Amino acid sequence: MSKVISHLSREWRFMLSQKYILVLLACTLIVSGFSVVSGIQEIAQQNQTIERLKIADALDRKEAQEKHSDPGSIAYYSFHLTYQAPSELAFAALGERDIYPWKHRIRMLALEGQIYESDAQNAELAQAGKIDFVFVLSALSPLIIILLFHDLVASERTSGRHDLLVTTANSAAALWGSRIIVRFVAFLVCLLLPFCIGAWFSEAAIGNVLEISLWSILYLVFWTVLSVLWGRKAKSAPRVASGLIGIWVLLAFIIPILGDLAIKESVHSPKGGDIVLTQREAVNGAWDLPKETTMDAFVATHPEWKDYVSMESMFEWKWYYAFQQVGDQKAASLSNEYRDAAQQKYDLAGFVSWLSPPMLLQRKLTRVAETDAIAAFEYEQQIREFHKQLRLFYYPFLFPPVEFDKTALEAMPSFERLVQIDGTDQNANVLASSQKSQLSNQ
């Protein structure tokens, strides 16, 4: 044991005498810290945006309810904020929150257009993404590991110290093993320390923090072993570095890009604009159709209201909301195809990720942080369920000839309550069903 400590102490002092290693470790600490701080700031802004919109949404809905007295008008002018709050670990892996919308304001109108007319940000900025901890870990840390370990043996051969070191050392394993351990541990601390501090600040669950840390360590061990084995018999450090950088480019960029292109070519789906157009054409065309045509299509999926579809005037709210629902029904097949294709693309990307460790790590960590495409699918399902609850709440006031009392609005569905009560079970159902077409009749 004393010999092990002696070897490690020697290599620690040796590492501290090499300025370029200290510079690399300092850069690792700075970049990792920057990614964590910027991630925490981004998540804080998202949370502040959600809180600000919740207040404005409540005031806007209260004003609409005070201004109008009939249920049809209240439903038309009342907006409802839906949102997907970031998890405690979202700061480390922003994932798809740059691409998929995480907030919507919806009304009891046709839903498909409201979902696919997302509040997307600048497409070029979204494509560029943000420098979060997962990006630093998956894309940048291999480069630093290559710089730390590519010349582990080659530099000693170049300087002429290799044979002397091997001869005087108790064993080659003790010599190189202690040097590898010291450098790896120092690098690991510089990389993960900011993440652990950020996780503590965000009050993340210890189990999730340990899971991310474990995946991070395994990933870094992979690149360390690759770098050491690639250069163990080499005499030219630059040649080793160039070969390892080529492998890094292949695994981190070329394979994911080619995989993405292949998936897009093999999986075809409607565009969000096609869904919106189909739904809007159905809704706009309903004004010129006989009202019986609309009501028959509505009753086909809502037979409980078949005794209340007759109209006594040219315009009634029940007819208006009926053809809004029919518009969704006509776009349902395209919407199902779109969601099925998105699920298929995600599954195929999972197979590609086994050829690309950086891509695989990103998928694992964004799943733990709940910022991947699955989390976006779950949020969309929550929107659909909430919209269904809104319709079920208003229909009894629109179809039967009953008197409406505003006190009934106290029982209006709340998206926040839906997420709190049904979120866990609903998410499990989404994962199990893979976003299948059972949502088409909602």
Side-chain angles (χ1 to χ4, degrees), residues 351-362:
F351 291 112
V352 174
S353 68
W354 287 104
L355 303 176
S356 171
M359 185 178 175
L360 179 62
L361 180 73
Q362 291 176 5

PDB file of all heavy atoms in Angstrom, residues 351-362:
ATOM      1  N   PHE A 351     -30.466   3.218 -32.384  1.00  0.00           N
ATOM      2  CA  PHE A 351     -29.576   2.211 -32.969  1.00  0.00           C
ATOM      3  C   PHE A 351     -28.286   2.857 -33.472  1.00  0.00           C
ATOM      4  O   PHE A 351     -27.193   2.300 -33.303  1.00  0.00           O
ATOM      5  CB  PHE A 351     -30.281   1.481 -34.105  1.00  0.00           C
ATOM      6  CG  PHE A 351     -31.412   0.593 -33.659  1.00  0.00           C
ATOM      7  CD1 PHE A 351     -32.717   0.899 -33.976  1.00  0.00           C
ATOM      8  CD2 PHE A 351     -31.172  -0.546 -32.897  1.00  0.00           C
ATOM      9  CE1 PHE A 351     -33.770   0.101 -33.560  1.00  0.00           C
ATOM     10  CE2 PHE A 351     -32.210  -1.358 -32.475  1.00  0.00           C
ATOM     11  CZ  PHE A 351     -33.511  -1.036 -32.801  1.00  0.00           C
ATOM     12  N   VAL A 352     -28.409   4.021 -34.102  1.00  0.00           N
ATOM     13  CA  VAL A 352     -27.215   4.717 -34.599  1.00  0.00           C
ATOM     14  C   VAL A 352     -26.292   5.098 -33.446  1.00  0.00           C
ATOM     15  O   VAL A 352     -25.066   5.068 -33.570  1.00  0.00           O
ATOM     16  CB  VAL A 352     -27.623   5.974 -35.409  1.00  0.00           C
ATOM     17  CG1 VAL A 352     -26.396   6.781 -35.816  1.00  0.00           C
ATOM     18  CG2 VAL A 352     -28.428   5.575 -36.637  1.00  0.00           C
ATOM     19  N   SER A 353     -26.877   5.441 -32.299  1.00  0.00           N
ATOM     20  CA  SER A 353     -26.069   5.914 -31.173  1.00  0.00           C
ATOM     21  C   SER A 353     -25.115   4.840 -30.653  1.00  0.00           C
ATOM     22  O   SER A 353     -24.095   5.162 -30.041  1.00  0.00           O
ATOM     23  CB  SER A 353     -26.977   6.390 -30.037  1.00  0.00           C
ATOM     24  OG  SER A 353     -27.678   5.306 -29.451  1.00  0.00           O
ATOM     25  N   TRP A 354     -25.426   3.559 -30.896  1.00  0.00           N
ATOM     26  CA  TRP A 354     -24.508   2.502 -30.460  1.00  0.00           C
ATOM     27  C   TRP A 354     -23.213   2.517 -31.266  1.00  0.00           C
ATOM     28  O   TRP A 354     -22.219   1.896 -30.865  1.00  0.00           O
ATOM     29  CB  TRP A 354     -25.186   1.141 -30.565  1.00  0.00           C
ATOM     30  CG  TRP A 354     -26.213   0.934 -29.501  1.00  0.00           C
ATOM     31  CD1 TRP A 354     -27.564   0.999 -29.640  1.00  0.00           C
ATOM     32  CD2 TRP A 354     -25.973   0.641 -28.122  1.00  0.00           C
ATOM     33  NE1 TRP A 354     -28.198   0.777 -28.435  1.00  0.00           N
ATOM     34  CE2 TRP A 354     -27.239   0.546 -27.484  1.00  0.00           C
ATOM     35  CE3 TRP A 354     -24.820   0.459 -27.359  1.00  0.00           C
ATOM     36  CZ2 TRP A 354     -27.372   0.275 -26.133  1.00  0.00           C
ATOM     37  CZ3 TRP A 354     -24.957   0.183 -26.004  1.00  0.00           C
ATOM     38  CH2 TRP A 354     -26.206   0.087 -25.406  1.00  0.00           C
ATOM     39  N   LEU A 355     -23.203   3.213 -32.401  1.00  0.00           N
ATOM     40  CA  LEU A 355     -21.980   3.370 -33.192  1.00  0.00           C
ATOM     41  C   LEU A 355     -21.256   4.663 -32.842  1.00  0.00           C
ATOM     42  O   LEU A 355     -20.157   4.910 -33.339  1.00  0.00           O
ATOM     43  CB  LEU A 355     -22.312   3.358 -34.694  1.00  0.00           C
ATOM     44  CG  LEU A 355     -23.044   2.123 -35.222  1.00  0.00           C
ATOM     45  CD1 LEU A 355     -23.391   2.316 -36.698  1.00  0.00           C
ATOM     46  CD2 LEU A 355     -22.197   0.872 -35.015  1.00  0.00           C
ATOM     47  N   SER A 356     -21.867   5.480 -32.010  1.00  0.00           N
ATOM     48  CA  SER A 356     -21.312   6.791 -31.659  1.00  0.00           C
ATOM     49  C   SER A 356     -21.428   7.005 -30.158  1.00  0.00           C
ATOM     50  O   SER A 356     -22.479   7.430 -29.669  1.00  0.00           O
ATOM     51  CB  SER A 356     -22.054   7.900 -32.411  1.00  0.00           C
ATOM     52  OG  SER A 356     -21.671   9.177 -31.946  1.00  0.00           O
ATOM     53  N   PRO A 357     -20.376   6.708 -29.388  1.00  0.00           N
ATOM     54  CA  PRO A 357     -20.436   6.911 -27.936  1.00  0.00           C
ATOM     55  C   PRO A 357     -20.855   8.321 -27.521  1.00  0.00           C
ATOM     56  O   PRO A 357     -21.629   8.454 -26.557  1.00  0.00           O
ATOM     57  CB  PRO A 357     -18.999   6.588 -27.487  1.00  0.00           C
ATOM     58  CG  PRO A 357     -18.518   5.602 -28.497  1.00  0.00           C
ATOM     59  CD  PRO A 357     -19.107   6.053 -29.795  1.00  0.00           C
ATOM     60  N   PRO A 358     -20.398   9.400 -28.182  1.00  0.00           N
ATOM     61  CA  PRO A 358     -20.883  10.728 -27.788  1.00  0.00           C
ATOM     62  C   PRO A 358     -22.400  10.866 -27.933  1.00  0.00           C
ATOM     63  O   PRO A 358     -23.066  11.442 -27.069  1.00  0.00           O
ATOM     64  CB  PRO A 358     -20.145  11.678 -28.740  1.00  0.00           C
ATOM     65  CG  PRO A 358     -18.907  10.944 -29.118  1.00  0.00           C
ATOM     66  CD  PRO A 358     -19.321   9.510 -29.200  1.00  0.00           C
ATOM     67  N   MET A 359     -22.938  10.345 -29.018  1.00  0.00           N
ATOM     68  CA  MET A 359     -24.384  10.406 -29.234  1.00  0.00           C
ATOM     69  C   MET A 359     -25.125   9.553 -28.208  1.00  0.00           C
ATOM     70  O   MET A 359     -26.182   9.956 -27.691  1.00  0.00           O
ATOM     71  CB  MET A 359     -24.691   9.932 -30.655  1.00  0.00           C
ATOM     72  CG  MET A 359     -26.137  10.050 -31.071  1.00  0.00           C
ATOM     73  SD  MET A 359     -26.355   9.509 -32.787  1.00  0.00           S
ATOM     74  CE  MET A 359     -28.144   9.617 -32.952  1.00  0.00           C
ATOM     75  N   LEU A 360     -24.584   8.384 -27.897  1.00  0.00           N
ATOM     76  CA  LEU A 360     -25.203   7.506 -26.901  1.00  0.00           C
ATOM     77  C   LEU A 360     -25.221   8.180 -25.535  1.00  0.00           C
ATOM     78  O   LEU A 360     -26.227   8.116 -24.810  1.00  0.00           O
ATOM     79  CB  LEU A 360     -24.434   6.187 -26.833  1.00  0.00           C
ATOM     80  CG  LEU A 360     -24.947   5.161 -25.815  1.00  0.00           C
ATOM     81  CD1 LEU A 360     -26.373   4.729 -26.147  1.00  0.00           C
ATOM     82  CD2 LEU A 360     -24.014   3.953 -25.770  1.00  0.00           C
ATOM     83  N   LEU A 361     -24.117   8.842 -25.175  1.00  0.00           N
ATOM     84  CA  LEU A 361     -24.057   9.535 -23.883  1.00  0.00           C
ATOM     85  C   LEU A 361     -25.091  10.657 -23.822  1.00  0.00           C
ATOM     86  O   LEU A 361     -25.773  10.828 -22.798  1.00  0.00           O
ATOM     87  CB  LEU A 361     -22.657  10.102 -23.666  1.00  0.00           C
ATOM     88  CG  LEU A 361     -22.455  10.846 -22.347  1.00  0.00           C
ATOM     89  CD1 LEU A 361     -22.411   9.859 -21.194  1.00  0.00           C
ATOM     90  CD2 LEU A 361     -21.175  11.680 -22.377  1.00  0.00           C
ATOM     91  N   GLN A 362     -25.223  11.405 -24.892  1.00  0.00           N
ATOM     92  CA  GLN A 362     -26.206  12.489 -24.911  1.00  0.00           C
ATOM     93  C   GLN A 362     -27.623  11.952 -24.734  1.00  0.00           C
ATOM     94  O   GLN A 362     -28.429  12.529 -23.999  1.00  0.00           O
ATOM     95  CB  GLN A 362     -26.101  13.253 -26.230  1.00  0.00           C
ATOM     96  CG  GLN A 362     -24.821  14.067 -26.365  1.00  0.00           C
ATOM     97  CD  GLN A 362     -24.704  14.731 -27.725  1.00  0.00           C
ATOM     98  OE1 GLN A 362     -25.618  14.661 -28.545  1.00  0.00           O
ATOM     99  NE2 GLN A 362     -23.570  15.353 -27.980  1.00  0.00           N
TER     100      GLN A 362
END
